[in-house]
Amino acid sequence: MRVWYLLLALMAPNAMAAWEVNMRQGVTEISHAVYDLHMTIFWVCVAIGVVVFGVMFYSIYHHRKSRGAVSDDFHESTKLEIVWTAIPFAILVVMAIPATQVLVQMYDASDSDIDIKVMGYQWKWSYEYLGQDLGNGENLAYFSNLATPRQEVYNESEKNPNYLLEVDEPLVIPANKKVRFLISANDVIHAFWVPDFAVKKDAIPGFINEAWTNVPEPGIYRGQCAELCGEAHGYMPIVVKVVPEDEYVAWVENKRQQVAAARGITPTVASK
Amino acid sequence: MSSATAIRRTLIKGLMVGVAMFGFGFALVPLYDIICEIAGVNGKTNTVAYTGTAEVDESREVRVIFMSVNGGAMPWHFRPEVTEMVVKPGQVYNTAYYAENLTGRDLVAQAVPSVSPGYAASHMNKIECFCFEQQPLAGGQDTRMPLQFMVDPDLPKSVRAITLNYTLFDITERVMRESASR
Amino acid sequence: MSAVIDTHGHEDHGPKRGFMRWVTTTNHKDIGAMYLWFSLAMFFVGGLFALIIRSELFQPGLQIVEPEFFNQMTTMHGLIMVFGAVMPAFVGLANWLIPVMIGGPDMALPRLNNWSFWLLPFSFTILLSTMFMEGGGPNYGWTFYAPLSTSYAPPSVTFFIFAMHLMGVSSILGSINIIATIFNMRAPGMTLMKMPMFVWSWLITSYLLVAVIPVLAGVITMMLMDINFGTSFFDAAGGGDPVLFQHVFWFFGHPEVYIMILPAFGIVSHIIPAFARKPLFGYSSMVYATSSIAFLSFIVWAHHMFTVGIPLVGELFFMYATMLIAVPTGVKVFNWITTMFRGSMTFETPMLFALAFVVLFTIGGFSGLMLAIAPADFQYHDTYFVVAHFHYVLVPGAIFAIFAAMYYWLPKMTGNMYPEWLGKLHFWLSFVGMNLTFFPMHFIGLAGMPRRIPDYNMQFADFNMVASVGAFAFGFTQLLFLAIVIITIRGGKKAEAKSWEGAEGLEWSLPSPAPYHTFATPPEVK
Ligand code: HEM
Ligand SMILES: [Cu+2]
Ligand SMILES: [Cu+2]
């Protein structure tokens, strides 16, 4: 069955996302910059490849014994060696410039509007909104667990399109705000990765790392833990729900009340 | 042939290089700490009290964000007194963390500090910190653990916010083991 | 070059008979052959694990194994292939070939050589036996990051560490022996800059091994101490740092990946000139390029750690250094291609493997270059794109070079020509199978599939299925290689002393098969 599906898909490559062959462009300025870098270095490689393999296949075709080729015996040329050391070097220097620029941008997590503590656990994530007091000095925080049912994993029921990429409680952030993630872990090393934001940072027990994003478009974005962290490493997805700012404010207020009530804390009035 | 001695010499030299590189592997540990201190890898901060003083830089304000993490199965409540302060480099500030032992057992904790961005770590001077010592806490008790700090005026201008995190680990077993073996 | 064959008659130097011959042998050809057989056995064991992985990944959902066992499979596959298959194969070739290539009678330290080999079966028996221990075998990846491999590891980790130590001692002794051989056993006139490229590449590799295997030994010793003696090298609670583990590991690990490719460079530098009937272009630049790759490989390790949160300056340093290492790698490729240019080429099996090596290894180099761009690596890191990268440099890189070497020197080892059509069949099936397996992994990785997961979303399903089909094709094709080797040992067209028209080097001055003892009187090298 699947074979036919395979063939069909080959004939209509754009019809199915499953045959995606390139990196996702993502939705942030940074992810677009990363995509551009990826494409640039890719085309550089293609260009070098065309020249190098071109010469190689030319020789393979023309300088074969069966076509009567007689071998030369030149075997040294300092000039050539210098040329093919210098040219790649120059290409790489040029390539390093935009790469450096993007990296500098990625590292600048100052001036964030919102700070969120992201913690990796075996095997779930937790999110804590710094400064969102529940009423007893503690911050609004909750766990985010895989929501895919076991039956789907064990092929006992049909798989949802977001199979393994669904959680009970997504991370909610506002659009058009600089959000800083302060990332750590409770047990082993995990990695927080949301491809559409081009954010990937290791979550290391005992230490914090930071990363940031600023998402212009509301939407739901999915990622996964990207560092082997034990048995259920493949089962700790990340879902980020990006909402307009006013919706975010309302959500935080609501969530605060809800979490406080669940824990028997009298919530204070909205702080932000 | 004299090559037998030459071979022997190569063998010995090779083994010596091997042993030296094995030692080098271990030397990487202190070396790494030194590099961490200079470059602020992982946001490691000073582990003994800072004693210097500095002139207050009135022209700048820096946000300091306080964070707490429970490492492993640490069964305490642990949180900063305030989540954020706006500070002037060079000035000394006081704040604290709260801890409450939710179990009925006496436990010992160790707080491990980490600063982000990493290269701000060496500019986050802790004058008094609960992380310098182990923190014993009887079952059911709570405590306020003071922290006195100063942001160094040398802090690069590009850093406008510093996050100071403490991860609290349960080291009761380790402490018991050590005192038992003593 | 004159051919001087061991004909002295005061003593019959034929091998002993029976099992004890292999246990006690100090003959470099025997030991080389044992290394090669051991490596082939491990190749099949590691391959079996790979097929279990690919079976599970054939479709989304869990079908065959549980995640915990899946993790053991990925870990064991990596460990066995790296330390059990690729490295011993190159050491085996080194043992067999280096003495005859430099005109020496044997390895410099023959008894040590026997030891180096016999440590390996013990090491890998222990490693494999961990899978039957309580809590299972290693499940923390071949890179065994702490604290997953320390505080959170199954109890068998101590045996894993012991096995790695044995393997490490074997490697260090083996490489010291190679250095001693190259420096002391060369025939008169065989100056360093006349040495065949394979010997050169192994000399440099040996230095890398002696320098970095002890560091690996150091890091696993630290793990052992953390686990059993209460130290905290990698435990934040006690003042340690899990990231330190990664720095020390990759200080070993990056040179290690070059250890697996430099001898392949050497092999290809013999085969391409032989079948292009034209001397290697830029011999001395090849030597310099190999040396600079070896040197640079010590200062790029953190490109495996771009996402751990290294400070910006560090990140930039490692990015630039990694990009730089592509330059000497490129020089080697250009030299091979210029060697072919205006040659007179024929395409026997060794040449086919060597040509595929050049093209496909270069593709792996390209993806390496892409991975070197730190901001882009944030998207590639720990995805199938990395898996595609290192399989392109290791399968058609290291392993194809090993196949090429076997076909090329098998006539010298066995005295018989392998059946050419079977060799070609093996090549083409491997070529297609390998590309079918690993090329789609680039796509899966770019689409966002993390590595080391037993199950995935349907968006990755189609290419995963292709990869699994390819893996089975590639895997079963290798049984053909085993068959070819056995057929060639047992008979076939008699090989001439110089088995290939364009072959150069002292080994071809010996009869085929090469006698048990060779060059007891050193040949004259002009
Ligand atoms: C042009 C030269 C090369 C460059 C620039 C390069 C670059 C890289 C980079 C940046 C990574 C890290 C990717 C990541 O984890 O995000 C990587 C991974 C890797 N490379 Fe290369 N590479 C090159 C050649 C090679 C060669 C020749 C080999 C071995 C024969 C090799 C084997 C590996 C392996 C095994 C890994 C993955 C290790 C792991 O995480 O399990 N690479 N390479
Ligand atoms: Cu994880
Ligand atoms: Cu590397």
Side-chain angles (χ1 to χ4, degrees):
Chain A
M1 275 299 88
R2 261 187 177 271
V3 178
W4 289 114
Y5 176 63
L6 270 167
L7 285 174
L8 261 177
L10 270 179
M11 281 182 272
N14 293 328
M16 259 153 279
W19 292 98
E20 198 52 72
V21 295
N22 204 351
M23 183 190 279
R24 288 193 242 175
Q25 292 204 30
V27 292
T28 65
E29 198 190 322
I30 292 285
S31 76
H32 289 150
V34 166
Y35 177 81
D36 290 342
L37 275 179
H38 159 73
M39 288 317 286
T40 313
I41 188 75
F42 172 71
W43 286 116
V44 167
C45 291
V46 170
I48 300 173
V50 166
V51 174
V52 171
F53 298 146
V55 175
M56 177 170 164
F57 285 107
Y58 175 89
S59 315
I60 288 178
Y61 185 75
H62 289 279
H63 306 147
R64 52 168 70 213
K65 200 180 176 196
S66 55
R67 295 185 97 235
V70 181
S71 64
D72 227 311
D73 78 354
F74 66 87
H75 57 86
E76 213 142 32
S77 161
T78 312
K79 217 185 287 172
L80 262 183
E81 302 286 354
I82 291 173
V83 167
W84 63 43
T85 308
I87 292 178
F89 185 78
I91 294 174
L92 292 180
V93 170
V94 173
M95 194 58 223
I97 296 168
T100 306
Q101 286 166 342
V102 177
L103 197 64
V104 169
Q105 236 182 322
M106 287 173 126
Y107 262 70
D108 181 15
S110 295
D111 301 327
S112 58
D113 300 309
I114 289 167
D115 301 308
I116 297 174
K117 181 174 113 186
V118 173
M119 288 280 293
Y121 287 78
Q122 277 181 329
W123 291 276
K124 62 194 171 204
W125 293 94
S126 90
Y127 304 116
E128 179 177 328
Y129 292 73
L130 297 188
Q132 297 296 349
D133 194 343
L134 285 177
N136 65 346
E138 284 181 44
N139 292 320
L140 166 61
Y142 56 88
F143 284 107
S144 180
N145 296 287
L146 176 76
T148 301
R150 277 181 72 84
Q151 292 91 307
E152 287 187 25
V153 176
Y154 286 98
N155 310 305
E156 288 151 11
S157 66
E158 198 171 331
K159 292 182 174 40
N160 178 299
N162 291 318
Y163 176 66
L164 298 185
L165 299 176
E166 265 184 323
V167 295
D168 52 358
E169 301 261 13
L171 169 64
V172 179
I173 60 170
N176 287 309
K177 288 277 171 196
K178 186 163 180 175
V179 179
R180 174 168 43 184
F181 303 114
L182 294 156
I183 303 165
S184 188
N186 176 265
D187 32 48
V188 299
I189 301 177
H190 304 262
F192 181 74
W193 181 32
V194 184
D196 284 326
F197 306 164
V199 165
K200 185 185 282 153
K201 260 284 145 68
D202 290 1
I204 300 161
F207 298 92
I208 46 169
N209 258 326
E210 57 182 25
W212 66 274
T213 193
N214 188 337
V215 189
E217 281 297 310
I220 290 180
Y221 304 100
R222 293 166 202 279
Q224 283 175 271
C225 175
E227 182 63 62
L228 178 62
C229 57
E231 190 179 343
H233 163 54
Y235 302 93
M236 48 182 295
I238 294 147
V239 179
V240 187
K241 191 172 163 196
V242 180
V243 296
E245 199 191 345
D246 46 350
E247 206 177 306
Y248 171 74
V249 174
W251 175 85
V252 170
E253 193 45 42
N254 190 4
K255 191 80 186 166
R256 247 162 29 92
Q257 307 277 354
Q258 192 191 321
V259 173
R263 292 181 43 191
I265 301 161
T266 324
T268 46
V269 199
S271 55
K272 247 189 192 170
Chain B
M1 271 199 292
S2 72
S3 85
T5 45
I7 289 169
R8 164 137 300 198
R9 204 170 301 142
T10 315
L11 173 64
I12 289 167
K13 260 192 241 161
L15 289 174
M16 267 159 42
V17 172
V19 172
M21 286 308 290
F22 184 71
F24 175 78
F26 281 85
L28 280 175
V29 179
L31 218 61
Y32 175 71
D33 277 341
I34 293 166
I35 293 167
C36 284
E37 209 168 297
I38 298 166
V41 182
N42 270 352
K44 286 190 179 176
T45 58
N46 55 316
T47 46
V48 287
Y50 173 81
T51 49
T53 50
E55 208 147 296
V56 180
D57 182 352
E58 296 287 348
S59 64
R60 287 173 75 189
E61 287 191 332
V62 179
R63 278 173 71 200
V64 179
I65 296 151
F66 298 96
M67 224 170 86
S68 61
V69 163
N70 280 18
M74 185 77 206
W76 292 13
H77 259 316
F78 177 53
R79 65 177 176 84
E81 191 168 60
V82 291
T83 47
E84 192 171 326
M85 285 171 99
V86 176
V87 306
K88 289 199 172 65
Q91 182 135 346
V92 175
Y93 293 86
N94 286 296
T95 179
Y97 273 67
Y98 283 113
E100 184 186 351
N101 185 345
L102 298 176
T103 68
R105 289 168 290 134
D106 300 356
L107 295 174
V108 186
Q110 172 70 54
V112 175
S114 171
V115 166
S116 185
Y119 50 88
S122 52
H123 302 283
M124 185 73 197
N125 303 321
K126 296 192 270 27
I127 299 156
E128 190 191 330
C129 179
F130 54 92
C131 62
F132 296 151
E133 272 132 39
Q134 299 172 346
Q135 299 291 328
L137 194 57
Q141 294 296 302
D142 57 27
T143 177
R144 180 177 183 275
M145 304 182 290
L147 167 68
Q148 192 175 51
F149 70 96
M150 181 248 280
V151 173
D152 207 293
D154 295 342
L155 181 75
K157 289 273 184 292
S158 62
V159 181
R160 293 177 292 277
I162 301 178
T163 308
L164 174 60
N165 174 66
Y166 288 98
T167 306
L168 202 65
F169 290 98
D170 182 357
I171 56 162
T172 314
E173 259 179 55
R174 185 193 301 260
V175 172
M176 302 244 281
R177 224 184 310 127
E178 271 164 23
S179 58
S181 70
R182 219 175 281 142
Chain C
M1 260 171 251
S2 69
V4 180
I5 302 151
D6 176 24
T7 48
H8 65 155
H10 56 269
E11 196 185 342
D12 183 17
H13 266 325
K16 281 192 222 157
R17 302 210 171 252
F19 180 66
M20 284 315 281
R21 162 184 175 184
W22 300 104
V23 177
T24 58
T25 183
T26 55
N27 178 288
H28 73 101
K29 297 189 190 77
D30 280 355
I31 294 175
M34 287 197 295
Y35 265 112
L36 290 168
W37 280 112
F38 175 79
S39 145
L40 188 61
M42 287 297 127
F43 183 55
F44 283 116
V45 175
L48 174 72
F49 295 164
L51 292 187
I52 294 173
I53 295 170
R54 282 316 322 170
S55 310
E56 181 52 59
L57 291 174
F58 184 67
Q59 280 183 348
L62 288 179
Q63 279 77 232
I64 298 169
V65 297
E66 288 297 310
E68 162 58 31
F69 189 69
F70 183 89
N71 287 347
Q72 290 185 40
M73 287 295 99
T74 52
T75 306
M76 286 300 238
H77 165 71
L79 291 170
I80 298 268
M81 285 302 195
V82 168
F83 298 109
V86 173
M87 287 171 65
F90 283 132
V91 181
L93 288 167
N95 261 290
W96 218 101
L97 293 170
I98 288 177
V100 292
M101 282 181 167
I102 61 175
D106 203 311
M107 295 294 282
L109 298 153
R111 257 174 303 164
L112 191 72
N113 205 14
N114 173 288
W115 264 95
S116 307
F117 171 75
W118 279 109
L119 284 174
L120 281 184
F122 290 101
S123 163
F124 283 86
T125 308
I126 294 170
L127 184 63
L128 285 166
S129 72
T130 58
M131 293 207 300
F132 303 99
M133 292 178 189
E134 198 196 315
N139 56 7
Y140 23 72
W142 85 277
T143 52
F144 50 98
Y145 282 6
L148 189 62
S149 63
T150 54
S151 330
Y152 293 82
S156 67
V157 63
T158 309
F159 290 89
F160 156 77
I161 290 171
F162 185 57
M164 294 298 279
H165 269 309
L166 287 182
M167 183 285 301
V169 170
S170 155
S171 266
I172 293 170
L173 296 181
S175 35
I176 294 177
N177 203 349
I178 288 170
I179 296 174
T181 306
I182 294 173
F183 280 138
N184 298 298
M185 312 295 277
R186 275 173 291 139
M190 175 65 78
T191 57
L192 284 179
M193 288 310 274
K194 269 191 197 159
M195 287 196 315
M197 275 312 291
F198 181 68
V199 181
W200 254 116
S201 66
W202 246 114
L203 180 61
I204 296 167
T205 306
S206 302
Y207 277 115
L208 283 180
L209 278 165
V210 176
V212 302
I213 295 278
V215 177
L216 171 71
V219 76
I220 57 180
T221 306
M222 291 179 218
M223 280 170 63
L224 188 75
M225 290 165 76
D226 270 10
I227 295 166
N228 296 315
F229 307 124
T231 57
S232 346
F233 286 102
F234 309 130
D235 182 5
D241 185 343
V243 175
L244 171 65
F245 173 91
Q246 297 183 26
H247 281 290
V248 186
F249 178 83
W250 286 114
F251 186 87
F252 148 79
H254 186 80
E256 166 66 22
V257 306
Y258 278 93
I259 287 164
M260 293 188 283
I261 202 68
L262 295 185
F265 288 171
I267 290 165
V268 170
S269 303
H270 284 243
I271 291 172
I272 291 177
F275 294 94
R277 292 163 182 78
K278 187 165 157 281
L280 180 67
F281 187 82
Y283 171 89
S284 47
S285 90
M286 286 299 228
V287 173
Y288 299 136
T290 312
S291 312
S292 37
I293 289 174
F295 171 74
L296 286 173
S297 74
F298 284 104
I299 55 163
V300 297
W301 77 87
H303 65 215
H304 297 275
M305 306 166 57
F306 279 144
T307 62
V308 300
I310 300 170
L312 183 62
V313 275
E315 198 100 338
L316 287 173
F317 172 81
F318 286 108
M319 172 166 88
Y320 299 150
T322 305
M323 290 166 83
L324 201 59
I325 209 167
V327 174
T329 312
V331 167
K332 304 210 65 131
V333 174
F334 301 143
N335 278 325
W336 290 321
I337 287 174
T338 314
T339 306
M340 294 176 218
F341 191 74
R342 306 257 295 274
S344 168
M345 277 191 268
T346 52
F347 303 96
E348 290 85 345
T349 311
M351 183 62 160
L352 289 178
F353 275 109
L355 292 177
F357 171 96
V358 174
V359 174
L360 300 175
F361 170 78
T362 305
I363 291 177
F366 285 149
S367 56
L369 196 53
M370 297 173 77
L371 292 165
I373 309 289
D377 184 66
F378 285 120
Q379 293 288 53
Y380 308 136
H381 176 66
D382 264 331
T383 69
Y384 262 85
F385 192 79
V386 177
V387 179
H389 159 66
F390 66 73
H391 282 93
Y392 261 83
V393 283
L394 287 171
V395 178
I399 291 176
F400 274 22
I402 294 165
F403 285 145
M406 288 310 297
Y407 286 109
Y408 185 63
W409 281 292
L410 208 50
K412 183 57 62 190
M413 295 173 177
T414 63
N416 301 318
M417 298 303 286
Y418 60 87
E420 187 63 47
W421 73 275
L422 276 180
K424 287 201 164 118
L425 182 67
H426 174 222
F427 168 76
W428 283 110
L429 290 175
S430 296
F431 180 83
V432 172
M434 173 268 142
N435 280 293
L436 210 55
T437 314
F438 299 115
F439 208 80
M441 291 186 184
H442 291 109
F443 304 146
I444 309 173
L446 290 175
M449 177 162 156
R451 64 193 281 206
R452 295 168 166 165
I453 57 175
D455 194 1
Y456 49 83
N457 182 268
M458 284 77 73
Q459 76 192 89
F460 311 119
D462 300 315
F463 282 126
N464 264 300
M465 189 173 277
V466 176
S468 290
V469 170
F472 274 85
F474 182 81
F476 282 97
T477 298
Q478 304 321 317
L479 293 173
L480 182 59
F481 176 68
L482 176 65
I484 294 172
V485 173
I486 293 173
I487 291 170
T488 312
I489 290 173
R490 301 183 62 167
K493 199 172 124 241
K494 289 281 157 266
E496 290 164 32
K498 189 173 167 187
S499 315
W500 308 104
E501 187 190 8
E504 293 280 349
L506 284 179
E507 71 270 31
W508 305 109
S509 66
L510 299 168
S512 299
Y516 195 57
H517 290 288
T518 42
F519 297 131
T521 327
E524 197 81 34
V525 181
K526 275 181 273 155

